Amino acid sequence: MGILRCFKAVVAITILLFLNACSSLPPQLASDNPNLVTHYNVWQSQLQLKPEVRLGGVIAKVTNLADKTRVEIVNLPIDSAGKPDIDLEPTGRFVAYFPGFVDPVALADGRLITVLGNATGSETSEVGEYQYQFPTMDVTGFRLWRVEERVVIYDRYSDFYPCYGIACNDIHFQPRQGRVIKDVR
């Protein structure tokens, strides 16, 4: 009976770890606001309302000012866990203001980020030589993400499994195929 209890405990712990590993919104990005805006185009259409916003993307530029840090972000759509979708095209740019000093190394250009904050309107600045109208926000929470790569290998398997002797010879000498999968974590 002790082995059965131990087995049940291991299964329960495994299930809990699996459920915990499933995509869920990080606490620093959580909001109880039912009118939270999570789409860039919706935010642009509601700039005058100054809604609470959760958006993500790629950091393009970081500028430290006297009392805050200006972070220019190239918007990428986010999923329900707040992760930017690196397989989709950017939909625009926005500026997120962080209170105080934030080290530019921590928010380095090219990093993936999701920010939560209150919209403050818009400002005009340049992207190269082009004048661009940036929606702006004051950040109340954020999460930096990293891209993990893993390789998936596809093997040919014999019809005989487990395979012994001559039936297995063709498996060991076939070329392998694979692909790199990129996940945001």
Side-chain angles (χ1 to χ4, degrees), residues 93-140:
R93 291 175 180 238
F94 64 95
V95 170
Y97 284 101
F98 288 72
F101 173 82
V102 179
D103 196 316
V105 172
L107 298 180
D109 296 0
R111 291 204 63 188
L112 292 174
I113 191 170
T114 301
V115 290
L116 174 70
N118 299 307
T120 58
S122 66
E123 67 183 42
T124 302
S125 189
E126 293 180 351
V127 177
E129 294 182 17
Y130 182 78
Q131 291 291 316
Y132 192 87
Q133 189 72 25
F134 291 92
T136 59
M137 68 184 297
D138 287 334
V139 174
T140 57

Side-chain angles (χ1 to χ4, degrees), residues 6 9 20 49 61 94-97 104 125 128 155 163:
C6 184
N20 191 33
L49 300 176
K61 185 177 179 183
F94 64 95
V95 170
Y97 284 101
S125 189
D155 280 332
C163 135

Side-chain angles (χ1 to χ4, degrees), residues 44-56:
Q44 278 194 312
S45 69
Q46 296 180 0
L47 280 178
Q48 68 283 1
L49 300 176
K50 299 184 179 177
E52 185 176 23
V53 180
R54 180 189 312 125
L55 292 174

Side-chain angles (χ1 to χ4, degrees), residues 8-26:
K8 286 181 180 179
V10 168
V11 169
I13 290 171
T14 302
I15 290 171
L16 286 173
L17 288 174
F18 176 75
L19 290 175
N20 191 33
C22 291
S23 293
S24 62
L25 191 65

Side-chain angles (χ1 to χ4, degrees), residues 13 19 22 40 42 48 53 56 64 70 93 122 137 144-145 151-152 176:
I13 290 171
L19 290 175
C22 291
Y40 181 80
V42 173
Q48 68 283 1
V53 180
N64 288 104
R70 181 185 187 273
R93 291 175 180 238
S122 66
M137 68 184 297
L144 290 168
W145 305 94
V151 177
V152 177
R176 292 178 163 201

